[in-house]
Amino acid sequence: MYFKIIGEIKDKEVIAVGRSIREISRLRRIYGDKRWRKLKGIATVRLSDNTICNAEIHWYEAHGIGKKEFKIKRIIG
Amino acid sequence: MQQKFVICVKNQGYEVSLERWKVYRVIPDDKAEIHRQIRVIDESGEDYLYPEEYFTPIEIPKPVQKALISTM
């Protein structure tokens, strides 16, 4: 992960499940054939240049595998 | 406006979202540049911020750009 999440992820929301995730075949091939969800939330993050800011982050999650590929959708303020 | 494209040279930890050696379209983002990040449309079809070091810029002739964008 190219940034560090500081504290809790807030306002978590499922944005896609299973076949409604466009990259579902890649998810299954690379991490396993599970019931994948794509989620979003807001978190305080530390970027690689040590800037601390709030950001909307997205990630993938499946039972038995956990959370994968946290990525920043947008920096908030 | 000149479209910018990059090749992914590193995707460690993002093997679903990015494919090494694949061309990605850059979305201009001044805020991202300040933090040495780059905004690209990844394998999800959505744009996200990634570290600049994951990519190398490439020049693509304008006639080819339009065709490339239509496949993304």
Side-chain angles (χ1 to χ4, degrees):
Chain A
M1 196 158 62
Y2 57 91
F3 58 95
K4 188 174 166 61
I5 297 170
I6 300 169
E8 268 183 45
I9 301 172
K10 297 174 186 166
D11 301 331
K12 283 188 217 178
E13 192 180 320
V14 176
I15 52 178
V17 178
R19 282 187 291 177
S20 66
I21 301 170
R22 178 172 157 164
E23 60 280 28
I24 187 66
S25 59
R26 294 178 65 86
L27 267 169
R28 287 174 174 158
R29 179 166 45 86
I30 290 164
Y31 294 123
D33 191 6
K34 297 286 184 185
R35 188 173 171 270
W36 286 99
R37 300 182 301 161
K38 187 172 183 180
L39 293 92
K40 70 173 183 179
I42 305 292
T44 302
V45 301
R46 184 193 306 273
L47 304 178
S48 56
D49 66 355
N50 285 320
T51 300
I52 295 176
C53 57
N54 290 328
E56 178 182 333
I57 57 174
H58 292 192
W59 70 96
Y60 306 104
E61 194 171 308
H63 287 298
I65 295 180
K67 299 175 174 63
K68 295 288 185 185
E69 302 200 11
F70 283 97
K71 43 193 184 176
I72 296 174
K73 181 64 177 172
R74 61 189 177 103
I75 293 172
I76 302 166
Chain B
M1 190 169 81
Q2 179 74 14
Q3 296 285 342
K4 289 186 182 177
F5 296 88
V6 291
I7 287 182
C8 175
V9 298
K10 182 179 171 182
N11 70 344
Q12 190 179 1
Y14 293 92
E15 290 82 359
V16 169
S17 302
L18 298 172
E19 200 169 317
R20 272 178 74 190
W21 317 123
K22 189 169 175 177
V23 176
Y24 290 94
R25 181 176 168 193
V26 177
I27 303 295
D29 187 332
D30 294 338
K31 246 192 205 174
E33 276 184 45
I34 293 167
H35 300 292
R36 297 198 308 272
Q37 309 263 320
I38 187 173
R39 183 175 291 280
V40 299
I41 299 175
D42 70 10
E43 294 298 317
S44 71
E46 288 190 63
D47 57 285
Y48 290 94
L49 293 181
Y50 290 98
E52 280 179 347
E53 69 198 55
Y54 282 27
F55 303 93
T56 294
I58 56 167
E59 294 288 329
I60 295 183
K62 261 200 172 146
V64 178
Q65 285 182 23
K66 198 176 171 185
L68 191 54
I69 288 167
S70 69
T71 68
M72 295 178 162

